[in-house]
C-alpha cells in the first residue's frame, strides 16, 4: 500500500511536469500529453509500474530499465523517468546488476536529455521530480525494512512465549504429581519435623529430606527437552548467543546491512560473526547456513 501511494503521487507529479513543460514551451496545454507519443508513454509508464510488482524479486529492475530504454523514443517519456527511478530505487540493496538499476535509469535519463534538448526549465522540473521520487523510495524502503524487522521480532517473541508456556505447563504437571503422589495434597514429598518424609518412607542417608521429596522435579520432562531443543538445536549449540541471533537473521533472508540494523551491530561485526559461524559449523556459505537452520528446527 505504501508503494502504491508513492507511485500515484510520483505519477501525478510527472503529469504536472509534462503539462508545465508544455506551458513553458508556449504550446497549448496538454498538447504533448494528448499526442500519440504522449499517450503511449503514459500507458507504458503505468504498465512498467504495475509490472514491477508482478515480477520476481530478481527481475523487478527489468521493468524500470526497459521503460527507460523505450522512453528514449519520444520526448514525453522524459517526464515519466522519475516513476522509473522510484521503482529502480526499490532494488538499491540487492546484489549485482539489480543493485545498479538506479544508476542505469539515471544514465538513460541523461541520454534522453541529450537526445531531445528540452528547455532548461523542463530539465529542472524533471530533476526535481526525480529527487522527490528518490526521497519517497528511500523513506518507504526504510519504513518497510523496519516493519519487517518488527514482524520478525514479534514472531520470535511469540515463539519464545509458546515455548515458555509449554515449559510452565510441564512444571505445573510435575508439581501436581509430586504433591499428590503419597498422600493428602500439600503433604506428599515434604518432610516432617524429624526429617522423615510425610509418606513414611525413610530419607536416603546423606540426602536432605527436601531433596529426596523434590528429586523428581530436577529431572527434565519431555516437554522441557523439546522446548530447549527448539530454542537452540544441537547443531547450533557451539555458537554464542550473538552468533545464534545472526544465524537466525541470515535464515530469515536478511543481508548484512539489515542484520546490522536489526541486531544493533556494525556490518563488520556481522561479517565476523558469519565467518565464525561458517567455520564452527563447517559450512561454505550463508545459503547452507539458512538451510541448516530451518532443517534443524523442523527436525527438532
Amino acid at each position: 500500500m505504501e508503494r502504491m501511494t508513492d507511485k500515484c503521487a510520483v505519477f501525478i507529479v510527472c503529469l504536472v511536469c509534462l503539462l508545465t513543460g508544455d506551458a513553458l514551451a508556449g504550446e497549448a496545454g496538454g498538447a504533448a500529453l494528448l499526442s500519440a507519443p504522449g499517450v503511449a508513454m503514459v500507458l507504458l509508464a503505468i504498465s512498467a509500474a504495475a509490472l514491477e510488482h508482478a515480477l520476481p524479486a530478481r527481475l523487478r529492475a527489468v521493468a524500470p530499465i526497459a521503460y527507460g530504454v523505450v522512453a528514449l523514443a519520444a520526448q514525453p517519456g522524459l517526464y515519466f523517468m522519475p516513476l522509473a527511478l522510484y521503482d529502480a530505487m526499490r532494488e538499491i540493496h540487492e546484489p549485482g546488476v539489480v543493485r545498479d538499476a538506479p544508476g542505469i535509469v539515471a544514465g538513460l535519463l541523461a541520454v534522453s536529455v541529450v537526445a531531445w534538448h528540452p528547455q532548461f526549465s523542463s530539465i529542472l522540473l524533471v530533476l526535481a521530480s526525480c529527487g522527490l521520487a528518490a526521497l519517497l523510495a528511500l523513506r518507504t524502503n526504510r519504513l518497510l525494512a523496519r516493519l519487517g524487522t518488527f514482524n520478525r521480532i514479534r514472531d520470535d517473541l511469540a515463539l519464545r512465549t509458546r515455548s515458555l508456556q509449554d515449559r510452565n505447563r510441564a512444571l505445573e504437571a510435575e508439581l501436581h504429581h509430586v504433591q499428590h503422589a503419597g498422600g493428602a495434597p500439600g503433604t506428599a514429598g515434604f518432610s516432617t519435623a524429624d526429617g522423615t518424609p510425610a509418606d513414611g518412607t525413610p530419607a536416603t542417608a546423606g540426602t536432605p529430606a527436601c531433596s529426596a521429596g523434590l528429586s523428581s522435579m530436577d529431572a527434565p520432562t519431555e516437554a522441557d527437552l523439546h522446548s530447549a531443543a527448539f530454542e537452540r538445536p544441537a547443531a547450533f549449540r557451539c555458537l554464542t548467543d550473538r552468533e545464534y541471533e545472526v544465524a537466525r537473521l541470515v535464515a530469515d533472508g536478511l543481508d548484512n546491512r539489515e542484520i546490522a540494523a536489526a541486531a544493533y551491530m556494525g556490518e563488520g561485526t556481522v561479517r565476523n560473526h558469519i565467518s565464525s559461524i561458517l567455520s564452527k559449523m563447517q559450512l561454505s556459505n550463508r545459503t547452507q547456513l539458512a538451510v541448516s537452520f530451518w532443517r534443524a528446527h523442523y527436525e527438532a
Side-chain angles (χ1 to χ4, degrees):
M1 180 60 69
E2 290 83 1
R3 293 196 184 279
M4 291 303 300
T5 302
D6 289 349
K7 285 186 179 184
C8 290
V10 174
F11 181 75
I12 292 174
V13 170
C14 292
L15 287 177
V16 172
C17 289
L18 179 57
L19 296 175
T20 305
D22 286 349
L24 293 175
E27 300 179 2
L33 177 62
L34 297 177
S35 64
V39 173
M41 289 299 107
V42 170
L43 294 178
L44 284 173
I46 294 175
S47 300
L51 183 63
E52 192 267 347
H53 280 282
L55 290 174
R58 294 296 180 182
L59 298 177
R60 284 177 187 153
V62 172
I65 293 175
Y67 173 79
V69 173
V70 176
L72 296 175
Q75 183 173 357
L78 171 67
Y79 292 94
F80 294 95
M81 292 295 279
L83 188 59
L85 180 62
Y86 177 89
D87 285 335
M89 290 289 291
R90 179 178 182 178
E91 319 303 331
I92 196 170
H93 296 301
E94 296 293 335
V97 178
V98 177
R99 187 173 184 175
D100 298 329
I104 296 174
V105 173
L108 292 172
L109 173 62
V111 172
S112 181
V113 169
V114 172
W116 291 105
H117 301 290
Q119 291 186 350
F120 182 71
S121 56
S122 297
I123 297 176
L124 291 180
L125 287 174
V126 173
L127 291 178
S129 302
C130 287
L132 174 63
L135 289 175
L136 285 176
L138 290 175
R139 178 194 66 86
T140 304
N141 287 347
R142 180 174 297 180
L143 175 64
L144 294 180
R146 289 181 177 177
L147 181 61
T149 300
F150 290 153
N151 288 337
R152 283 188 292 271
I153 293 174
R154 179 201 61 195
D155 294 341
D156 184 65
L157 289 176
L159 184 63
R160 292 175 182 271
T161 300
R162 288 193 296 269
S163 176
L164 290 174
Q165 288 174 343
D166 292 339
R167 187 169 184 177
N168 183 59
R169 283 192 292 267
L171 290 174
E172 288 179 349
E174 184 68 20
L175 181 60
H176 179 79
H177 173 73
V178 170
Q179 289 176 340
H180 295 78
T187 61
F190 294 91
S191 60
T192 58
D194 60 356
T196 303
D199 58 2
T201 304
T204 304
T207 303
C210 59
S211 299
L214 298 176
S215 59
S216 60
M217 294 185 64
D218 297 334
T221 64
E222 183 179 354
D224 296 337
L225 294 176
H226 179 74
S227 299
F230 193 81
E231 291 180 357
R232 180 73 70 89
F236 289 82
R237 290 176 185 169
C238 60
L239 306 181
T240 65
D241 290 342
R242 205 62 165 153
E243 289 173 346
Y244 181 71
E245 181 181 6
V246 171
R248 178 179 62 80
L249 294 174
V250 170
D252 286 340
L254 277 67
D255 58 24
N256 288 356
R257 180 177 301 179
E258 292 170 333
I259 293 174
Y264 300 100
M265 62 177 69
E267 289 189 53
T269 305
V270 173
R271 288 192 293 269
N272 292 338
H273 280 319
I274 293 177
S275 298
S276 176
I277 293 168
L278 296 179
S279 176
K280 288 181 178 180
M281 301 188 64
Q282 298 182 353
L283 300 174
S284 301
N285 51 59
R286 59 199 299 149
T287 301
Q288 292 183 355
L289 173 59
V291 172
S292 300
F293 183 90
W294 291 118
R295 180 179 297 170
H297 279 80
Y298 288 142
E299 292 175 352

